[in-house]
Amino acid sequence: MNLTHTKLQPFPHSPPLTHPTFLFSSRSLLPFPRNLKPAHVSPSFLYKKHTLLRYGCFGVSRSRTRSSISEVEEEQKQKPVLVKRAYPFDEIEPKWQRYWEQNGTFRTPNDVDTSKPKFYVLDMFPYPSGAGLHVGHPLGYTATDILARFKRMQGYNVLHPMGWDAFGLPAEQYAIETGTHPKLTTLRNINRFRSQLKSLGFSYDWDREISTIEPEYYKWTQWIFLQLLKRGLAYQAEVPVNWCPALGTVLANEEVVDGVSERGGHPVIRKVLSLFITKQPMRQWMLKITAYADRLLEDLDELDWPESIKEMQRNWIGRSEGAEVEFCVLDSDGMETDMKITVYTTRPDTIFGATYLVVAPEYTLLSSIVSTEQRESVEGYQDIASRKSDLERTELQKEKTGVFSGCYAKNPTSGEPIPIWVADYVLGSYGTGAIMAVPAHDARDHEFASKFNIPIKWVVTPNNGSCVESGKAYSGEGIIVNSSNLKVGLDINGLSSKEAAYRVIEWAEKVGKGKKKVNYKLRDWLFARQRYWGEPIPVIFLEDSGESLPVLESELPLTLPELDDFTPSGTGEPPLSKAVSWIKTIDPSSGKLAMRETNTMPQWAGSCWYYLRFMDPKNSNELVDKAKEKYWSPVDVYVGGAEHAVLHLLYSRFWHKVLYDIGVVSTKEPFKCVINQGIILGEVQYTACKDTDGNYISADSADDLDEYLQEIIPEERVVKSGEFFVLKDNPNIRLIARAHKMSKSRGNVVNPDDVVSEYGADSLRLYEMFMGPFRDSKTWNTSGIEGVHRFLGRTWRLIVGSPLHHGAFRDGTLVTDEEPTTEQLRALHKCIAKVTEEIEGTRFNTGISAMMEFINAAYKWDKQPKAIIEAFVLLLSPYAPHMAEELWSRLGHPDSIAYEAFPKADPAYLKESTVVLPVQINGKTRGTIQVEKGCSEEDAFTLASQDEKLSKYLNGKPIKKRIFVPGKILNVILDRQHVKAGSIQ
């Protein structure tokens, strides 16, 4: 069999081949003839993936393009297997990606026509990891690309940029492990990410690409820090931090999981980083986000965000109204001392029920309170608590732990002595670091008191007089009882909780025991990192006095020095302390010797404001031009993961409000609408349980699955039985079927490069949108992509035709210039209305379903009018842009489809022209028929007589009369006297 020569083109992101382009024939590997143009080549037959794809052809990863000629020749000894393409995506996609890049199709001009509406759609800044993209990443990117293409076609100026959040701990740790400078690995990762994104046909404006590691960018990150410093919103303090000795740096709370570092799994200590590590006091840079707590809370109501995200931010900010009350510490003889413990409570009405106090392990006065007998126990407990994250300590389901301090305090209302306990479910960073515990009316306190045999005193009864379930706390409001002490002048018995709370605060302020207080869970942002790979903090310290001074704005950017040794010092000193010549400087104002700050900014810094830089990425004079910012702000649609709800999104809102206050931006909020895409989980894995003897155990009979050995079972050994999966050769063994988040450790990562090489980028885009609702989590199934791939193949063949005898497709199309029929127009406009509605509602899967229904209908037509097909190709273009561009070109259009007008549905064709008419025989409904609106009685009866189900009741039967209500019912009354018995069933 002769194989038509096929030109092998490297995938767009692959590097140029180091050997000539080759032709495969059935016998040999030949250089591509220089006089043979691509048009002479039939691309319809390809070798199977194990032959051609190994050499980097048709979109495999660049690592596969480096095979030597000898390896290729060796492969040719095997007989090639031919695969027929559903459509020539391997030619179409690289062709149009080159066209878009060469013509700057998606470049947004610096000066746009501001009379036109704008649409700013943005993906959350990706971190370019060495692993590259997996198929979960393009989910959000595809959605924003569909929206961007849709809005361009509707006449909007569209800003759709991409850039890189490139500073951070992962790159630095990789540099330490390999000895490679983090800049080199980061740039290499960026190149890989960029090439993968381009291979998927996303319509980013690559002229606006930015990266947080570019000095031209972080100059303005440093400038923002200086504005914070000027306004007292940046300051230094000694605060408890998550210190990781192995990594040699402070970690943010989100970088600590179960008491160990997220990267590397190293133990983390929660302490004030001072003399015990650094041999000198070490102060941390903090940003005063708490100053904006109320505004961050109040402005949430105006945002078109998922309610769950807004609620997470509300809880994180944690505004509460209550009171601060002083409890006097008693000495060993039970006498009052000068030492006071101030607690914050949101339920001052329950103060008579406070039977003990709890202070955090890091409470500042603890060392002065603890008794000599209990000191060793308390210090041991403090050490254990320091290794837990805040999340672990406050987890409601976690068993409560604590230790008695050995001392007591006096309840200011009841006058009773109550014990002071140390427990890690209280945080030193919240409130005052101490609480009054009311075990009868707080679940955590009740659990703790029950465990340690502390008295429980009831002071609130439910309003409805119902009984409280035994053994549980009642945390609701109600009527106050057991709450009177005339000696101190306070009696709140019989009052409602709200009235009692007001009365207690009034009393506390009068006698000097407390005051009304609004409190927040939100803490100031720890902004310093003991790392090399981050933005230098633009501050110097005078050698003689230690006074801190800002670097002059004219000297920005303060660039990161080159270092060969990035390893942690082990003393808490940042790696930048090794850059001796860089550290030493002179204060330009006084001429005094000074030292530069050696901590760097956290990774979050650069990603706080990047959305603004995309509006004006090349501006060297200001952060963003005011006119451009005013036009493009705010971001209209911002798509990303829900895991950034209380970190990146909250930090960005804080910085934006500061920039609003100083006149840099014109809006109070940065992101008008936030959408969280669902997670794409890896393919379902089947696991069998085994006992210690290696025998299979059915999953439903195992009490604790963790006690058994687990074995992953390949899919070919699995069969579904009812709702469960079992072993094919032993159906009694039920398996665990579970999909997990994609990760290298689980081995379930699917590389989009491989999917693109086999099915094309348009198929991958469509499949990710078709898997289910955009916001829901979904399970990847590689075989599932074949369905949308067939749909694209059917679309191609409907318009272009089937392949010719030698495998190639014709150059033109099969469309005709005939006027479309009413039926065709109805099908088209119904599809237009549905696709438009679903894109606007980000219900992309149902939009694809509408296009599939249209193609099914179109295959029943004898001819394909050009007016109908052109409109459908326009509908398809946001989803499958490569195919749409090719079809648009073949339909005779010289320009890109990207800026063609998106079709509008004509309401006249959306009205239903037919109705379903019930048909009764002698008053009993026997079926229905579909008739045109306005159908006559005679036409309705004729249709009923022709219906397969109804004809047996009507044909040949004598009819007495017909009752017809247009559009409602047809009732045929038979003449029973002339009907044989038993003829009517």
Side-chain angles (χ1 to χ4, degrees), residues 769-891:
M769 295 296 97
F770 191 60
M771 290 172 74
F774 177 58
R775 293 162 175 81
D776 292 356
S777 294
K778 298 163 277 284
T779 302
W780 178 267
N781 184 349
T782 300
S783 61
I785 200 172
E786 294 173 358
V788 293
H789 187 63
R790 284 195 298 271
F791 161 67
L792 289 175
R794 294 187 75 219
T795 301
W796 177 265
R797 292 190 300 276
L798 176 75
I799 300 171
V800 175
S802 299
L804 303 176
H805 67 279
H806 51 71
F809 289 91
R810 70 182 73 246
D811 290 335
T813 67
L814 298 177
V815 301
T816 68
D817 290 327
E818 296 185 18
E819 288 295 315
T821 66
T822 302
E823 176 195 356
Q824 290 170 333
L825 288 168
R826 282 202 184 106
L828 172 66
H829 285 274
K830 181 180 177 182
C831 185
I832 292 172
K834 186 66 173 177
V835 171
T836 302
E837 179 185 354
E838 301 307 80
I839 290 179
E840 289 174 340
T842 63
R843 297 179 294 270
F844 305 109
N845 56 324
T846 46
I848 296 171
S849 295
M851 290 188 284
M852 289 178 170
E853 290 175 12
F854 174 86
I855 290 297
N856 288 339
Y859 261 92
K860 298 175 183 176
W861 304 335
D862 294 332
K863 295 179 181 179
Q864 311 298 332
K866 186 176 182 180
I868 297 290
I869 296 303
E870 283 188 338
F872 176 76
V873 171
L874 290 167
L875 292 180
L876 181 66
S877 63
Y879 287 89
H882 305 91
M883 175 178 281
E885 287 276 21
E886 180 66 21
L887 293 175
W888 191 249
S889 175
R890 285 171 175 250
L891 287 165

Side-chain angles (χ1 to χ4, degrees), residues 570-813:
T571 65
E573 283 293 320
L576 277 183
S577 61
K578 300 173 184 179
V580 179
S581 60
W582 179 83
I583 294 172
K584 294 181 178 179
T585 186
I586 295 175
D587 171 29
S589 301
S590 65
K592 294 181 179 180
L593 293 176
M595 306 284 283
R596 297 194 189 279
E597 171 62 74
T598 54
N599 286 310
T600 53
M601 298 185 195
Q603 183 177 346
W604 305 105
S607 62
C608 274
W609 69 279
Y610 72 100
Y611 59 93
L612 293 170
R613 193 62 177 173
F614 278 137
M615 301 174 187
D616 194 14
K618 304 294 192 298
N619 195 329
S620 59
N621 298 317
E622 56 186 334
L623 187 148
V624 60
D625 177 79
K626 282 184 170 53
K628 292 176 180 177
E629 183 279 327
K630 190 171 183 180
Y631 177 71
W632 288 113
S633 286
V635 175
D636 294 283
V637 175
Y638 193 30
V639 175
E643 65 272 16
H644 300 297
V646 294
L647 295 166
H648 162 63
L649 286 176
L650 195 61
Y651 296 156
S652 293
R653 294 182 64 219
F654 166 44
W655 277 32
H656 191 89
K657 289 181 182 302
V658 174
L659 294 174
Y660 177 76
D661 289 347
I662 64 177
V664 174
V665 298
S666 58
T667 62
K668 293 191 298 181
E669 290 285 338
F671 314 119
K672 179 180 179 181
C673 173
V674 168
I675 300 175
N676 299 133
Q677 81 270 24
I679 298 172
I680 292 186
L681 304 172
E683 296 199 66
V684 174
Q685 290 185 340
Y686 304 97
T687 308
C689 297
K690 282 184 170 183
D691 61 20
T692 53
D693 296 326
N695 300 314
Y696 287 121
I697 303 294
S698 186
D700 58 334
S701 64
D703 294 331
D704 187 355
L705 297 177
D706 292 335
E707 293 180 358
Y708 294 91
L709 301 174
Q710 296 191 356
E711 176 187 339
I712 294 178
I713 304 298
E715 190 172 2
E716 57 268 20
R717 292 183 56 197
V718 178
V719 66
K720 191 169 186 182
S721 175
E723 297 181 1
F724 304 101
F725 293 90
V726 297
L727 280 176
K728 187 180 291 185
D729 55 0
N730 188 352
N732 293 323
I733 303 299
R734 187 182 296 178
L735 305 175
I736 304 167
R738 186 178 301 161
H740 300 274
K741 188 174 180 179
M742 289 190 183
S743 67
K744 288 192 295 182
S745 61
R746 287 194 178 274
N748 64 348
V749 172
V750 179
N751 190 329
D753 296 357
D754 298 332
V755 180
V756 169
S757 70
E758 190 161 353
Y759 297 102
D762 283 344
S763 292
L764 175 60
R765 291 167 61 109
L766 246 68
Y767 177 58
E768 299 223 347
M769 295 296 97
F770 191 60
M771 290 172 74
F774 177 58
R775 293 162 175 81
D776 292 356
S777 294
K778 298 163 277 284
T779 302
W780 178 267
N781 184 349
T782 300
S783 61
I785 200 172
E786 294 173 358
V788 293
H789 187 63
R790 284 195 298 271
F791 161 67
L792 289 175
R794 294 187 75 219
T795 301
W796 177 265
R797 292 190 300 276
L798 176 75
I799 300 171
V800 175
S802 299
L804 303 176
H805 67 279
H806 51 71
F809 289 91
R810 70 182 73 246
D811 290 335
T813 67

Side-chain angles (χ1 to χ4, degrees), residues 28-42:
S28 63
L29 182 70
L30 302 173
F32 195 94
R34 295 184 182 276
N35 61 349
L36 183 60
K37 298 180 179 179
H40 301 151
V41 178
S42 168

Side-chain angles (χ1 to χ4, degrees), residues 145-190:
D145 194 59
I146 290 171
L147 292 172
R149 290 175 178 274
F150 174 65
K151 288 296 185 179
R152 285 192 197 97
M153 297 174 77
Q154 288 190 320
Y156 284 72
N157 288 325
V158 172
L159 185 57
H160 186 38
M162 175 52 70
W164 318 104
D165 186 13
F167 275 129
L169 184 59
E172 182 159 334
Q173 285 303 116
Y174 184 80
I176 293 169
E177 293 164 7
T178 63
T180 308
H181 196 285
K183 183 176 183 178
L184 297 177
T185 57
T186 301
L187 292 176
R188 183 175 65 214
N189 295 344
I190 287 174

Side-chain angles (χ1 to χ4, degrees), residues 211-349:
S211 171
T212 56
I213 64 173
E214 298 165 355
E216 297 80 11
Y217 178 85
Y218 68 72
K219 166 186 177 177
W220 297 105
T221 309
Q222 293 171 336
W223 181 86
I224 295 173
F225 177 85
L226 292 181
Q227 310 317 304
L228 293 164
L229 192 62
K230 285 180 187 177
R231 287 156 181 79
L233 296 171
Y235 65 95
Q236 283 188 295
E238 277 204 53
V239 294
V241 296
N242 299 312
W243 171 251
C244 180
L247 298 178
T249 187
V250 167
L251 299 177
N253 286 336
E254 69 276 4
E255 296 168 326
V256 181
V257 180
D258 296 331
V260 298
S261 62
E262 185 179 30
R263 183 170 180 86
H266 305 294
V268 174
I269 303 169
R270 177 80 172 170
K271 284 190 177 181
V272 175
L273 194 62
S274 59
L275 296 173
F276 82 101
I277 290 178
T278 63
K279 300 181 182 178
Q280 59 180 349
M282 189 171 182
R283 294 166 68 80
Q284 303 289 320
W285 282 103
M286 310 290 294
L287 297 188
K288 203 169 185 179
I289 190 173
T290 52
Y292 282 74
D294 282 328
R295 289 169 63 183
L296 289 168
L297 194 61
E298 292 162 6
D299 293 343
L300 278 172
D301 295 335
E302 303 173 14
L303 300 176
D304 180 16
W305 289 21
E307 193 56 41
S308 60
I309 298 297
K310 294 199 283 188
E311 193 59 28
M312 288 172 73
Q313 289 208 0
R314 291 187 186 105
N315 292 336
W316 192 266
I317 295 167
R319 186 184 190 276
S320 61
E321 294 185 5
E324 281 188 348
V325 182
E326 290 182 349
F327 285 69
C328 186
V329 177
L330 304 177
D331 61 20
S332 57
D333 296 324
M335 304 299 292
E336 293 187 13
T337 67
D338 293 335
M339 195 179 304
K340 305 284 193 303
I341 294 179
T342 302
V343 305
Y344 172 75
T345 176
T346 58
R347 293 292 302 273
D349 57 309

Side-chain angles (χ1 to χ4, degrees), residues 69-103:
I69 296 176
S70 61
E71 290 176 319
V72 178
E73 291 172 339
E74 180 64 25
E75 189 72 25
Q76 292 313 293
K77 295 177 183 178
Q78 302 177 19
K79 184 177 180 179
V81 182
L82 303 180
V83 177
K84 189 175 180 179
R85 295 290 194 200
Y87 69 98
F89 63 82
D90 51 292
E91 280 194 337
I92 292 171
E93 292 177 355
K95 168 186 172 180
W96 287 103
Q97 288 164 18
R98 286 193 298 270
Y99 175 92
W100 295 330
E101 188 159 354
Q102 291 167 2
N103 290 275

